[in-house]
Short mmCIF file of all heavy atoms in Angstrom, two decimals:
data_model
loop_
_atom_site.label_atom_id
_atom_site.label_comp_id
_atom_site.label_asym_id
_atom_site.label_seq_id
_atom_site.Cartn_x
_atom_site.Cartn_y
_atom_site.Cartn_z
N ALA A 141 -22.45 9.86 6.25
CA ALA A 141 -23.66 10.60 6.17
C ALA A 141 -24.40 10.48 4.92
O ALA A 141 -25.75 10.34 4.94
CB ALA A 141 -23.36 12.20 6.28
N TRP A 142 -23.69 10.24 3.71
CA TRP A 142 -24.43 9.99 2.51
C TRP A 142 -25.22 8.69 2.65
O TRP A 142 -26.31 8.50 2.13
CB TRP A 142 -23.27 9.82 1.50
CG TRP A 142 -23.65 9.47 0.07
CD1 TRP A 142 -23.98 10.28 -1.03
CD2 TRP A 142 -23.71 8.19 -0.52
NE1 TRP A 142 -24.29 9.56 -2.07
CE2 TRP A 142 -24.15 8.27 -1.85
CE3 TRP A 142 -23.58 6.98 -0.02
CZ2 TRP A 142 -24.38 7.17 -2.70
CZ3 TRP A 142 -23.76 5.76 -0.80
CH2 TRP A 142 -24.12 5.85 -2.16
N HIS A 143 -24.52 7.65 3.19
CA HIS A 143 -25.12 6.32 3.38
C HIS A 143 -26.35 6.35 4.24
O HIS A 143 -27.42 5.92 3.94
CB HIS A 143 -24.21 5.40 3.99
CG HIS A 143 -24.49 3.95 3.89
ND1 HIS A 143 -25.07 3.21 5.00
CD2 HIS A 143 -24.51 3.01 2.82
CE1 HIS A 143 -25.35 2.01 4.62
NE2 HIS A 143 -25.06 1.86 3.35
N THR A 144 -26.19 7.12 5.36
CA THR A 144 -27.37 7.25 6.37
C THR A 144 -28.50 8.02 5.66
O THR A 144 -29.65 7.61 5.85
CB THR A 144 -26.90 8.06 7.58
OG1 THR A 144 -25.79 7.17 8.22
CG2 THR A 144 -27.95 8.21 8.53
N ALA A 145 -28.26 9.04 4.86
CA ALA A 145 -29.23 9.80 4.24
C ALA A 145 -29.95 8.97 3.25
O ALA A 145 -31.12 9.21 3.05
CB ALA A 145 -28.66 11.10 3.54
N GLY A 146 -29.29 8.12 2.49
CA GLY A 146 -29.77 7.24 1.42
C GLY A 146 -30.76 6.29 2.14
O GLY A 146 -31.79 6.10 1.53
N LEU A 147 -30.23 5.60 3.16
CA LEU A 147 -31.13 4.68 3.88
C LEU A 147 -32.45 5.40 4.45
O LEU A 147 -33.47 4.70 4.34
CB LEU A 147 -30.55 3.91 4.98
CG LEU A 147 -29.36 3.02 4.57
CD1 LEU A 147 -28.69 2.46 5.68
CD2 LEU A 147 -29.78 1.93 3.66
N ALA A 148 -32.30 6.66 4.88
CA ALA A 148 -33.49 7.30 5.43
C ALA A 148 -34.48 7.76 4.33
O ALA A 148 -35.70 8.26 4.70
CB ALA A 148 -33.04 8.49 6.25
N ASN A 149 -34.06 7.77 3.02
CA ASN A 149 -34.87 8.32 1.90
C ASN A 149 -35.24 7.28 0.89
O ASN A 149 -35.27 7.60 -0.28
CB ASN A 149 -34.14 9.51 1.44
CG ASN A 149 -34.29 10.68 2.39
OD1 ASN A 149 -35.22 11.41 2.38
ND2 ASN A 149 -33.19 10.88 3.19
N GLY A 150 -35.32 5.92 1.26
CA GLY A 150 -35.68 5.09 0.35
C GLY A 150 -34.67 4.26 -0.26
O GLY A 150 -35.01 3.26 -1.16
N GLY A 151 -33.47 4.32 0.03
CA GLY A 151 -32.39 3.55 -0.52
C GLY A 151 -32.19 2.15 0.26
O GLY A 151 -32.77 2.13 1.39
N GLN A 152 -31.54 1.39 -0.33
CA GLN A 152 -31.20 -0.02 0.27
C GLN A 152 -29.84 -0.24 0.42
O GLN A 152 -29.16 0.01 -0.70
CB GLN A 152 -31.97 -1.12 -0.39
CG GLN A 152 -33.53 -1.12 -0.37
CD GLN A 152 -34.04 -2.20 -1.25
OE1 GLN A 152 -33.45 -2.78 -1.97
NE2 GLN A 152 -35.40 -2.39 -0.96
N THR A 153 -29.32 -0.82 1.48
CA THR A 153 -27.90 -1.17 1.55
C THR A 153 -27.62 -2.31 0.63
O THR A 153 -28.43 -3.20 0.37
CB THR A 153 -27.54 -1.37 3.01
OG1 THR A 153 -26.04 -1.42 3.12
CG2 THR A 153 -27.98 -2.70 3.40
N CYS A 154 -26.25 -2.40 0.10
CA CYS A 154 -25.91 -3.44 -0.68
C CYS A 154 -24.44 -3.58 -0.53
O CYS A 154 -23.80 -2.65 -0.13
CB CYS A 154 -26.29 -3.40 -2.28
SG CYS A 154 -25.56 -2.06 -3.01
N GLU A 155 -23.77 -4.67 -0.82
CA GLU A 155 -22.40 -4.98 -0.73
C GLU A 155 -22.08 -4.95 0.83
O GLU A 155 -22.90 -5.05 1.61
CB GLU A 155 -21.55 -3.96 -1.58
CG GLU A 155 -21.88 -4.07 -3.04
CD GLU A 155 -20.59 -4.24 -3.88
OE1 GLU A 155 -19.49 -4.28 -3.28
OE2 GLU A 155 -20.89 -4.35 -4.99
N ASP A 156 -20.77 -4.73 1.03
CA ASP A 156 -20.29 -4.65 2.39
C ASP A 156 -20.76 -3.41 3.08
O ASP A 156 -21.08 -2.32 2.41
CB ASP A 156 -18.73 -4.75 2.46
CG ASP A 156 -18.23 -6.12 2.08
OD1 ASP A 156 -19.10 -7.04 2.18
OD2 ASP A 156 -17.26 -6.26 1.46
N PRO A 157 -20.74 -3.24 4.38
CA PRO A 157 -21.01 -1.97 4.98
C PRO A 157 -19.95 -0.91 4.73
O PRO A 157 -18.90 -1.25 4.17
CB PRO A 157 -20.96 -2.28 6.63
CG PRO A 157 -20.91 -3.76 6.70
CD PRO A 157 -20.37 -4.29 5.38
N PRO A 158 -20.32 0.29 4.93
CA PRO A 158 -19.28 1.40 4.55
C PRO A 158 -17.98 1.14 5.26
O PRO A 158 -17.94 0.66 6.39
CB PRO A 158 -20.04 2.71 5.17
CG PRO A 158 -21.35 2.34 5.06
CD PRO A 158 -21.58 0.92 5.41
N GLY A 159 -16.93 1.34 4.53
CA GLY A 159 -15.57 1.16 5.07
C GLY A 159 -14.43 1.20 4.14
O GLY A 159 -14.71 1.55 2.90
N VAL A 160 -13.24 0.85 4.56
CA VAL A 160 -12.14 0.98 3.75
C VAL A 160 -11.98 -0.20 2.97
O VAL A 160 -12.19 -1.34 3.20
CB VAL A 160 -10.82 1.00 4.78
CG1 VAL A 160 -9.54 1.01 3.90
CG2 VAL A 160 -10.79 2.25 5.65
N ARG A 161 -11.58 0.04 1.72
CA ARG A 161 -11.24 -1.14 0.53
C ARG A 161 -9.76 -0.61 0.22
O ARG A 161 -9.58 0.44 -0.28
CB ARG A 161 -12.19 -1.12 -0.45
CG ARG A 161 -13.62 -1.07 -0.20
CD ARG A 161 -14.15 -2.22 0.53
NE ARG A 161 -15.59 -2.25 0.52
CZ ARG A 161 -16.38 -1.60 1.19
NH1 ARG A 161 -16.08 -0.72 2.00
NH2 ARG A 161 -17.77 -1.76 1.11
N GLU A 162 -9.09 -1.73 -0.06
CA GLU A 162 -7.68 -1.33 -0.54
C GLU A 162 -7.30 -2.39 -1.67
O GLU A 162 -7.85 -3.53 -1.73
CB GLU A 162 -6.57 -1.64 0.61
CG GLU A 162 -6.74 -0.67 1.69
CD GLU A 162 -5.60 -0.82 2.70
OE1 GLU A 162 -4.48 -0.40 2.27
OE2 GLU A 162 -5.81 -1.22 3.71
N GLY A 163 -6.59 -1.95 -2.62
CA GLY A 163 -6.20 -2.68 -3.82
C GLY A 163 -5.53 -1.85 -4.90
O GLY A 163 -5.83 -0.62 -5.00
N VAL A 164 -4.51 -2.33 -5.57
CA VAL A 164 -3.91 -1.75 -6.76
C VAL A 164 -3.25 -0.41 -6.21
O VAL A 164 -3.36 0.68 -6.92
CB VAL A 164 -4.84 -1.57 -7.93
CG1 VAL A 164 -4.12 -1.21 -9.24
CG2 VAL A 164 -5.60 -2.77 -8.19
N GLY A 165 -2.73 -0.38 -5.01
CA GLY A 165 -2.13 0.79 -4.54
C GLY A 165 -3.03 1.90 -4.05
O GLY A 165 -2.55 3.01 -3.83
N LEU A 166 -4.40 1.56 -3.94
CA LEU A 166 -5.36 2.59 -3.54
C LEU A 166 -5.92 2.26 -2.24
O LEU A 166 -6.11 1.03 -1.88
CB LEU A 166 -6.54 2.64 -4.53
CG LEU A 166 -6.15 3.12 -6.01
CD1 LEU A 166 -7.30 2.96 -6.85
CD2 LEU A 166 -5.70 4.52 -5.99
N LYS A 167 -6.34 3.19 -1.43
CA LYS A 167 -6.94 3.02 -0.18
C LYS A 167 -8.23 4.01 -0.35
O LYS A 167 -8.10 5.24 -0.31
CB LYS A 167 -6.05 3.51 1.02
CG LYS A 167 -6.80 3.16 2.27
CD LYS A 167 -5.74 3.51 3.49
CE LYS A 167 -6.32 3.01 4.83
NZ LYS A 167 -5.32 3.41 5.96
N LEU A 168 -9.35 3.40 -0.38
CA LEU A 168 -10.73 4.07 -0.56
C LEU A 168 -11.58 3.70 0.52
O LEU A 168 -11.57 2.77 1.13
CB LEU A 168 -11.29 3.42 -1.84
CG LEU A 168 -10.33 3.47 -3.10
CD1 LEU A 168 -11.11 2.86 -4.28
CD2 LEU A 168 -10.01 4.95 -3.54
N TYR A 169 -12.43 4.72 0.87
CA TYR A 169 -13.43 4.67 1.85
C TYR A 169 -14.82 4.66 1.07
O TYR A 169 -14.99 5.62 0.33
CB TYR A 169 -13.40 5.60 2.93
CG TYR A 169 -14.35 5.31 4.14
CD1 TYR A 169 -13.99 4.56 5.21
CD2 TYR A 169 -15.62 5.80 4.09
CE1 TYR A 169 -14.78 4.18 6.25
CE2 TYR A 169 -16.62 5.57 5.17
CZ TYR A 169 -16.09 4.78 6.29
OH TYR A 169 -16.83 4.50 7.29
N LEU A 170 -15.50 3.54 0.96
CA LEU A 170 -16.73 3.40 0.10
C LEU A 170 -17.99 3.14 0.96
O LEU A 170 -17.87 2.34 2.04
CB LEU A 170 -16.45 2.34 -0.90
CG LEU A 170 -15.29 2.42 -1.97
CD1 LEU A 170 -15.03 1.15 -2.50
CD2 LEU A 170 -15.67 3.55 -2.90
N ALA A 171 -19.06 3.45 0.40
CA ALA A 171 -20.35 2.96 0.82
C ALA A 171 -21.26 2.76 -0.33
O ALA A 171 -21.20 3.54 -1.32
CB ALA A 171 -20.99 4.06 1.73
N TYR A 172 -22.06 1.65 -0.48
CA TYR A 172 -22.87 1.39 -1.55
C TYR A 172 -24.32 1.29 -1.19
O TYR A 172 -24.69 0.96 0.04
CB TYR A 172 -22.49 0.05 -2.09
CG TYR A 172 -21.21 -0.14 -2.78
CD1 TYR A 172 -20.04 -0.52 -2.10
CD2 TYR A 172 -21.18 0.12 -4.07
CE1 TYR A 172 -18.92 -0.54 -2.80
CE2 TYR A 172 -19.88 -0.05 -4.78
CZ TYR A 172 -18.79 -0.36 -4.06
OH TYR A 172 -17.66 -0.40 -4.70
N LEU A 173 -25.23 1.84 -2.10
CA LEU A 173 -26.67 1.79 -1.99
C LEU A 173 -27.24 1.26 -3.33
O LEU A 173 -26.71 1.55 -4.33
CB LEU A 173 -27.28 3.05 -1.60
CG LEU A 173 -26.78 3.77 -0.26
CD1 LEU A 173 -27.19 5.15 -0.19
CD2 LEU A 173 -27.62 2.91 0.90
#
């Protein structure tokens, strides 16, 4: 919802689409703008 609101209000997507990233024993769900 954060990502969608950002795109609707003048933000631009960057990096990979929103989703899961894993590494160093962490599992994160991220979105970038």
Side-chain angles (χ1 to χ4, degrees):
W142 177 93
H143 191 259
T144 299
L147 292 176
N149 286 277
Q152 295 179 343
T153 193
C154 65
E155 299 231 359
D156 294 330
V160 176
R161 314 293 197 283
E162 294 186 68
V164 195
L166 296 173
K167 187 174 181 182
L168 309 171
Y169 192 87
L170 298 166
Y172 289 91
L173 290 169

